[in-house]
Amino acid sequence: MSHDAFLWYSASDWGRFGLAVPNFSNDTKSQNDTIRYLNDVLGRNLQAILWHPDARLRTPPSINTLTRIHKLCTRARSILAGRAVPASTLNMEAAHALPAPEEFLVYPTPYFKVRNQWLKQYAGLMLLSLTEAMQHQENARPLEISEAFAGLIGQYVQRVYRLMATELFRVPLEEASKPDFTLTDQQLAGYNPAAWFTSTELLDTVPPIDDWPTEDDLEVLTNGIPISHLPVLGRWPSGPLPTTDNVSMNAVPGESFAPAPGA
């Protein structure tokens, strides 16, 4: 039976890290360059944020991580706003040549075992946006994205930004809910979780630090993996079912089968 749950990247020894990829279903390619570009921007940045030590701690994220989320959200908003075409505007169309469909790249992201609940919630929303983008009908539209597509994907980005602004920067909900709301340098500089979080939330035990991949270990993931190079994937934590049809059982072995870091 098919499903739209995030897929567990369980290849080789990477499974123990609880990595997730968006559920692309049977939509492995896109003819739309903007959607592929957006997928790469969101996927790579999300992956980098979730490999940060902040994701392994239950304490409020550092300003480093929150600044990266702030930049990612505003970056995604600018891409969607700058490229969306109103329904009443004629779409650009080619006279003869059409771009060839190209495979999506996926960026396996720590998600299922993330201890930081703020970052896990933000990551879940971003993975939903990527799932929506990969399965959207506008992947068959070569040159444009619509305002409807931008609104669908942008709602997840806006929710992440609003949650971060209200819960971690104490911005009033009415202000944070405005479509064009952007955190100021002053608000970012005023981040002080000790002023409103409980002492319990500000303390945590030390997570395992010996069994963690290095930058070189992660290169096989950070470069992005073509969907056709993935093994059969399934839900966390059970893995793929024998009847799954998310990808071909004859997937060509590729980068995704490189050895993961040892214990």
Side-chain angles (χ1 to χ4, degrees), residues 19-221:
L19 307 182
V21 298
N23 193 321
F24 44 83
S25 185
N26 60 349
D27 302 299
T28 62
K29 297 181 180 181
S30 176
Q31 201 168 17
N32 192 297
D33 181 65
T34 291
I35 298 179
R36 293 198 310 271
Y37 173 54
L38 184 68
N39 170 77
D40 290 342
V41 170
L42 292 179
R44 290 186 64 214
N45 281 281
L46 179 64
Q47 183 190 67
I49 290 168
L50 269 292
W51 277 117
H52 191 275
D54 281 352
R56 290 185 281 158
L57 296 170
R58 297 185 182 94
T59 51
S62 68
I63 189 61
N64 303 57
T65 292
L66 298 182
T67 299
R68 292 184 182 105
I69 296 172
H70 156 70
K71 290 182 177 180
L72 174 57
C73 290
T74 54
R75 181 89 177 86
R77 292 194 318 195
S78 69
I79 293 171
L80 291 168
R83 301 193 181 203
V85 177
S88 59
T89 300
L90 291 174
N91 288 277
M92 182 170 61
E93 295 181 345
H96 300 288
L98 287 176
E102 293 184 29
E103 272 192 286
F104 283 113
L105 297 180
V106 296
Y107 301 85
T109 299
Y111 173 73
F112 296 113
K113 296 177 72 172
V114 164
R115 298 172 75 194
N116 190 290
Q117 291 304 304
W118 290 283
L119 297 185
K120 184 167 186 176
Q121 186 174 14
Y122 303 162
L125 289 165
M126 286 297 193
L127 287 168
L128 279 173
S129 73
L130 289 168
T131 295
E132 295 273 19
M134 286 180 167
Q135 296 190 30
H136 201 277
Q137 68 269 14
E138 289 191 11
N139 284 292
R141 177 178 290 173
L143 300 175
E144 309 282 24
I145 60 169
S146 66
E147 287 186 333
F149 173 86
L152 174 67
I153 307 306
Q155 68 179 337
Y156 298 102
V157 177
Q158 286 291 89
R159 179 60 58 88
V160 169
Y161 203 58
R162 192 185 80 188
L163 288 172
M164 183 178 72
T166 55
E167 296 180 0
L168 296 174
F169 289 93
R170 307 293 287 175
V171 176
L173 177 60
E174 183 179 359
E175 180 182 354
S177 297
K178 296 177 181 177
D180 60 347
F181 167 74
T182 304
L183 287 164
T184 65
D185 291 341
Q186 183 179 5
Q187 288 171 320
L188 289 167
Y191 179 57
N192 182 19
W196 53 81
F197 286 102
T198 67
S199 58
T200 301
E201 292 171 301
L202 296 173
L203 294 174
D204 195 9
T205 56
V206 178
I209 56 178
D210 294 327
D211 182 23
W212 200 249
T214 66
E215 180 182 0
D216 291 338
D217 294 325
L218 292 173
E219 188 175 0
V220 65
L221 304 182

